Amino acid sequence: MRTQVVVVGAGPAGLLLARLLGQRGVDVVVLETRSREYVEARIRAGILEHSTLEVLDGAGLGDVVRRDGAEHRGVYLQWPGERHHLDFVDLVGRSVWLYGQTEVTRQLGLAHDAAGTQIAYEVADVELHDVDGERPSVTYTDRDGVRTRVEAVAVAGCDGSFGPSRPVVADAGGETWERTYDYSWLGILADVAPSTDELIYAWHDDGFALHSMRSASVSRLYLQVPAGTEIGQWSDDRIWDALSTRLGAGIDGWQLTPGPITEKSVLPMRSHVCAPMRRGRLFLAGDAAHIVPPTGAKGLNLAVADVALLAPALADLAAGDPAAGERYSERALRRVWRCTHFSWWMTTMLHRDDDPFTRQLQLSQLQWVTSSRAGAAGLAENYAGLPISL
Ligand code: APR
Ligand code: PHB
């Protein structure tokens, strides 16, 4: 089989890239090991930056985000006894949108149905070949057991942190950087109206907590827990008690309303960057190239920014410009490192640290960020979104 671009992975990065390429008239085949139902049910973060919405507008999905999502002007930052609102619109003229990544994936799936994009789900044994030459190919076994080879002009590795693309790039050299954290997030989804209008990021001596949401009747909340925590150690009552305490129940009469928990899981935290994000005709995008801890919700936004840079480069390559794509990795990495720093900074500012000196520094930093316009604007600019191209 022959196509122009093989996209490995049908997460948000792969599906959006395939959409942006399809709109440019580029022939695409998407390969995914999981089922469509599995891919569309995964629960992930839910904040879209301003520039992500612009990219989704270009992909024809902006209207549905505006219709079903909620615009947030900012976030609350708090520590015991104090809660401060940072208004991003006032500070940097940009808002963010609350819209679940699960929905982004579903909407992209619908757009592909309408466009007739070739997406093969439940494939196995995906292997990449000849990425250093001008005719790379990918072999895979489809769900009927048939082994197929797709030849292309380029391959996009959008297969997340455990897919085959990253190791192929790493085999040719390059560098990786990693930071692990000794805590995880315990995340819950609950059928209860959020107890806040905008997200609350809470520093607390017991550990960090975050109050987010998915809709007017569904809340999403997180607790910092030690790395290696088993979900069975946390009963629903224990979770709500800890959330109430850390989120400041009782302060100025504020209360957290508990409700039925419909999903709970423990999410490990790490930062990881690999460079370059390219080897020959293989280009990495999204989690295949970098992982950020979830504080600040940059994972999806970074994946979107990558593919927004990659799509025009691959379209030019497919149109016969052999130099297209030369600058992709360098351009993408500028934003990757900015978001890697921001995610690390938010994480280390807000999570419980056993060192008392560090805790005082965290509180001082929070006080500065919430009282100085310059400090607040720095956080707002990074949170609400930097331009796609830095
Ligand atoms: N062949 C084909 N597909 C594969 C393979 C393979 N060998 N291995 C993995 N995949 C698929 C996974 O099943 C998954 O659906 O690649 C997809 C990668 O999707 P994501 O992990 O969602 O990564 P990405 O699309 O880069 O999205 C980034 O997801 O993890 C969050 O925080 C992250 O929000 C960010 C977003
Ligand atoms: C979420 O809603 O899941 C979410 C929001 C903000 C974050 C992380 C996760 O920083």
Side-chain angles (χ1 to χ4, degrees), residues 7-15 31-34 38-39 42 44-45 101 123-127 158-165 285-292 298-301 303:
V7 176
V8 185
L15 288 175
L31 303 175
E32 166 63 51
T33 42
R34 301 288 192 161
Y38 180 94
V39 166
R42 271 191 300 227
R44 297 266 179 79
Q101 178 172 323
V123 304
D125 304 323
V126 175
E127 287 178 49
C158 302
D159 43 2
S161 39
F162 304 109
S165 299
D287 278 14
H290 39 71
I291 302 288
V292 289
K298 284 292 169 214
L300 172 64
N301 293 293

Side-chain angles (χ1 to χ4, degrees), residues 49-51 92 94-96 298 335 379-387:
E49 283 176 35
H50 182 88
S51 47
V92 294
R94 294 177 156 220
S95 60
V96 294
K298 284 292 169 214
R335 198 174 208 278
L379 190 150
E381 185 175 78
N382 281 279
Y383 196 112
L386 302 152

Side-chain angles (χ1 to χ4, degrees), residues 76-84 200-209 224 242-252 254 349-353 359-360 362-364 366-367 370:
Y76 296 96
L77 282 184
Q78 72 169 51
W79 58 94
E82 291 195 39
R83 180 178 293 171
H84 299 265
I200 305 173
Y201 287 83
W203 184 101
H204 193 277
D205 258 329
D206 292 354
F208 169 72
Q224 175 186 352
L243 285 168
S244 267
T245 305
R246 297 187 196 182
L247 289 167
I251 297 169
D252 293 334
W254 183 84
M349 174 170 71
L350 286 161
H351 286 72
R352 154 94 197 181
D353 191 296
R359 286 208 295 284
Q360 293 307 316
Q362 291 176 320
L363 288 170
S364 170
L366 281 164
Q367 267 149 12
T370 51

Side-chain angles (χ1 to χ4, degrees), residues 139-163:
T139 49
Y140 66 97
T141 306
D142 71 15
R143 62 177 145 193
D144 300 320
V146 178
R147 189 92 185 138
T148 303
R149 176 182 294 270
V150 200
E151 289 184 357
V153 174
V155 177
C158 302
D159 43 2
S161 39
F162 304 109

Side-chain angles (χ1 to χ4, degrees), residues 117-249:
T117 311
Q118 289 189 68
I119 308 182
Y121 286 96
E122 296 173 75
V123 304
D125 304 323
V126 175
E127 287 178 49
L128 280 52
H129 311 275
D130 304 322
V131 299
D132 296 321
E134 286 178 8
R135 305 192 81 187
S137 65
V138 180
T139 49
Y140 66 97
T141 306
D142 71 15
R143 62 177 145 193
D144 300 320
V146 178
R147 189 92 185 138
T148 303
R149 176 182 294 270
V150 200
E151 289 184 357
V153 174
V155 177
C158 302
D159 43 2
S161 39
F162 304 109
S165 299
R166 183 195 289 170
V168 170
V169 174
D171 277 352
E175 264 185 282
T176 60
W177 296 264
E178 186 152 62
R179 173 65 47 99
T180 52
Y181 305 90
D182 56 11
Y183 35 78
S184 300
W185 276 13
L186 189 164
I188 62 161
L189 261 186
D191 278 339
V192 61
S195 302
T196 178
D197 55 342
E198 298 194 336
L199 273 59
I200 305 173
Y201 287 83
W203 184 101
H204 193 277
D205 258 329
D206 292 354
F208 169 72
L210 169 62
H211 191 332
S212 181
M213 60 204 77
R214 284 294 173 272
S215 68
S217 56
V218 176
S219 297
R220 177 90 171 133
L221 300 107
Y222 300 95
L223 283 170
Q224 175 186 352
V225 293
T229 294
E230 302 279 344
I231 196 71
Q233 296 165 251
W234 286 81
S235 67
D236 291 6
D237 284 348
R238 183 177 175 203
I239 292 172
W240 284 116
D241 284 350
L243 285 168
S244 267
T245 305
R246 297 187 196 182
L247 289 167

